[in-house]
Amino acid sequence: MTRPKYDRIQLHAAATSEAYTTVVRLRTAQRWVGHTRDVQSALGDLNNIGSRAGRARTRYVDTGLDSFFQEFQLAAAEIPPKLQQIKELTTDNPDQQDNCLRLENITNRRLSLLNNSVQLKRAASADAEAQALLRQQIIDVSAEADSLLQRMQSDEKHLLDTRRVQSERWFRITAYILCAAFLVALALFIFHYRVLNAELGAREQAEASLRTLSVRLLEVQDQERRKFSRELHDSLGQYLVGVKMNLTMLGKSVPANALITESTKLVDQAITETRTISHLLHPPLLDEAGFASAARWYVEGFAKRSGIQTTLNVPENLGRLPEAVELALFRVLQESLTNVHRHSKSPRADVSLRLSKEQVVLRVRDYGKGIPPEVLDRFQQNRTHGGVGLTGMRERIHELGGKLEMNSDGGGTRVLAVVPRSERREVAEVSAAD
């Protein structure tokens, strides 16, 4: 791993870690704010319950109705659980814990006085002096409880304000850090996008260069084939013709010589084979008469050599096509029929050529066992190792701005080459379209 890449990873990790830590602190601060509000709510509830119990006691003493007595009992029963809740909520605050102990003592005293007053009323005692004394004690204890509750509420309010300020501060810090982390992530994304874009551009340029090189190699190969074909025909072919002429003259001077006759036949076969090889390398008909004549000659010869019944359907008025188009179509035809002979085990093959205003379509179909799926998949995905012949066909057609398709199944293989009628050499455009 290179140092710049390692530094970018460290920067991204640091930004992520800081953002996570800040968010955790913000959530903690907000949780403490909520906790303080819970304490305030519990203190308020305790005050309300105490007031409700006091009112119920007063009404019961004044009226003697059992409904007020039951209301008092319900309120009195709610006081101990509420006190316990306040004690649990303030375990983080030592000062409030001390206040809770005092509050518990005062509340228990108040609750005891209220209960004594109620029990005095239930005993049907008309001791007004005792009730008055209890009432005064209740008022004094209630005032003491209210004062303590107000002080505790004030402390919680001050704590709430402090924690709210901290929460807001952490919220701002979190917002700043998240913005910074987003900007860092955005910068890293833009940087990586540019690096990836540059890598893709370099790869596309390399592929274009490789395709250009492949096309150039095919052109050099065609030139060498044409040159070698001419050399075979004009040099070796002429030498063989000379040898045959000499053997013929020698046969006239030495009649009925079996060795001379056999040698003459061998030379005839050598001349035929040399001419066939020369024409297969580069048929003269392709240059002289065009694709239609060269295709007819090749298909007829292929059917004789291979024993595969081959049909050719070419328009009568085909005329001449651009030289590069005719050569590409002939090489596709040649390679396709060669593959039919070598691999397909097909008893017959069909070749057809169709013209439109803008393009030429060559189809070659056999009825053999088909192409192995892995080979066909590599070819369709434009991957390498699809075979030199198949790759050569594709590069020739792509160089001219056309396309080459191949489909195969258990019923045989179909090769389709589509080429513009006008010669176009725009490798960059074809590569981009692919």
Side-chain angles (χ1 to χ4, degrees):
M1 182 183 297
T2 61
R3 182 68 186 179
K5 185 175 181 180
Y6 179 76
D7 292 341
R8 292 195 301 272
I9 293 175
Q10 278 192 322
L11 178 61
H12 181 69
T16 303
S17 176
E18 187 63 27
Y20 174 77
T21 303
T22 307
V23 170
V24 170
R25 290 174 178 172
L26 174 62
R27 292 184 62 185
T28 302
Q30 291 177 338
R31 189 161 53 247
W32 280 117
V33 170
H35 177 77
T36 305
R37 293 185 185 278
D38 291 340
V39 174
Q40 287 182 318
S41 177
L43 290 171
D45 290 343
L46 180 62
N47 188 36
N48 292 333
I49 295 171
S51 299
R52 196 168 78 244
R55 288 193 301 271
R57 169 258 165 201
T58 301
R59 291 174 181 175
Y60 176 69
V61 170
D62 291 342
T63 64
L65 295 176
D66 288 340
S67 59
F68 291 122
F69 174 72
Q70 293 174 357
E71 183 180 349
F72 167 77
Q73 284 186 317
L74 291 174
E78 294 179 12
I79 291 177
K82 187 58 66 174
L83 279 171
Q84 183 62 31
Q85 180 186 7
I86 294 173
K87 289 174 63 177
E88 292 175 355
L89 288 173
T90 57
T91 52
D92 61 296
N93 191 334
D95 293 337
Q96 290 291 55
Q97 283 285 288
D98 294 339
N99 290 331
C100 282
L101 291 176
R102 293 179 57 198
L103 179 63
E104 185 177 15
N105 292 330
I106 294 172
T107 302
N108 288 337
R109 284 164 48 201
R110 181 184 181 185
L111 188 59
S112 177
L113 291 171
L114 291 172
N115 190 56
N116 290 339
S117 177
V118 169
Q119 293 302 323
L120 184 63
K121 178 65 177 178
R122 288 188 68 82
S125 174
D127 191 351
E129 184 177 350
Q131 284 288 2
L133 179 61
L134 287 172
R135 181 181 297 108
Q136 185 60 44
Q137 291 176 342
I138 291 171
I139 292 173
D140 294 340
V141 174
S142 297
E144 188 178 356
D146 290 343
S147 176
L148 181 57
L149 283 172
Q150 289 179 1
R151 186 163 63 252
M152 293 180 70
Q153 286 281 19
S154 178
D155 291 344
E156 289 297 325
K157 183 178 184 304
H158 176 71
L159 187 60
L160 176 63
D161 292 339
T162 302
R163 287 176 172 175
R164 185 185 291 118
V165 170
Q166 291 178 348
S167 177
E168 291 175 353
R169 181 169 65 88
W170 279 115
F171 178 80
R172 289 192 296 270
I173 293 174
T174 302
Y176 294 149
I177 291 180
L178 288 178
C179 288
F182 172 76
L183 292 176
V184 170
L186 181 62
L188 290 175
F189 172 78
I190 293 174
F191 177 79
H192 286 297
Y193 174 77
R194 290 181 176 178
V195 170
L196 181 60
N197 219 20
E199 291 178 353
L200 289 176
R203 180 176 177 179
E204 290 177 356
Q205 184 176 3
E207 290 178 351
S209 299
L210 180 61
R211 176 164 290 174
T212 302
L213 178 61
S214 300
V215 171
R216 178 57 184 161
L217 289 175
L218 291 173
E219 291 177 349
V220 172
Q221 183 186 62
D222 288 332
Q223 293 174 2
E224 290 300 317
R225 283 183 172 183
R226 182 183 283 108
K227 179 180 178 181
F228 191 53
S229 173
R230 188 178 299 112
E231 290 294 330
L232 282 177
H233 183 271
D234 296 341
S235 180
L236 181 60
Q238 296 302 319
Y239 291 148
L240 291 174
V241 170
V243 171
K244 179 182 178 181
M245 292 175 61
N246 291 338
L247 287 174
T248 301
M249 294 177 62
L250 183 60
K252 292 179 180 180
S253 61
V254 185
N257 189 303
L259 184 61
I260 294 176
T261 302
E262 183 179 356
S263 298
T264 302
K265 291 181 180 179
L266 291 174
V267 170
D268 282 336
Q269 292 179 1
I271 292 173
T272 301
E273 289 295 329
T274 300
R275 184 179 295 111
T276 300
I277 294 173
S278 173
H279 287 187
L280 288 175
L281 287 172
H282 188 82
L285 286 174
L286 192 61
D287 296 331
E288 298 169 1
F291 175 80
S293 298
R296 291 190 185 95
W297 167 81
Y298 183 78
V299 168
E300 290 175 1
F302 172 81
K304 292 179 181 178
R305 291 189 302 271
S306 64
I308 298 175
Q309 180 183 353
T310 308
T311 62
L312 176 65
N313 188 353
V314 179
E316 293 293 337
N317 57 345
L318 177 61
R320 294 303 302 267
L321 299 171
E323 180 181 351
V325 173
E326 290 186 333
L327 180 59
L329 292 176
F330 184 80
R331 293 305 181 198
V332 171
L333 171 64
Q334 193 175 29
E335 182 65 30
S336 299
L337 291 181
T338 300
N339 288 335
V340 171
H341 177 54
R342 290 178 179 175
H343 308 296
S344 72
K345 308 297 183 182
S346 175
R348 63 189 181 94
D350 297 328
V351 180
S352 65
L353 187 75
R354 294 289 181 270
L355 286 176
S356 67
K357 292 182 179 181
E358 298 181 354
Q359 60 188 18
V360 185
V361 180
L362 174 67
R363 289 185 177 86
V364 180
R365 176 187 174 93
D366 66 60
Y367 304 88
K369 63 180 182 180
I371 300 176
E374 62 275 9
V375 177
L376 184 63
D377 180 66
R378 286 197 297 267
F379 176 81
Q380 292 176 341
Q381 297 296 328
N382 288 338
R383 288 182 284 176
T384 57
H385 307 296
V388 176
L390 297 178
T391 303
M393 287 195 297
R394 183 173 59 205
E395 294 304 325
R396 287 179 187 276
I397 298 302
H398 283 186
E399 167 67 4
L400 298 173
K403 64 178 181 179
L404 181 69
E405 296 180 358
M406 183 176 298
N407 298 296
S408 184
D409 52 32
T413 302
R414 295 161 294 283
V415 178
L416 177 68
V418 181
V419 185
R421 293 189 66 170
S422 59
E423 180 180 355
R424 295 188 302 169
R425 294 183 176 273
E426 300 173 359
V427 178
E429 282 189 10
V430 175
S431 299
D434 291 343

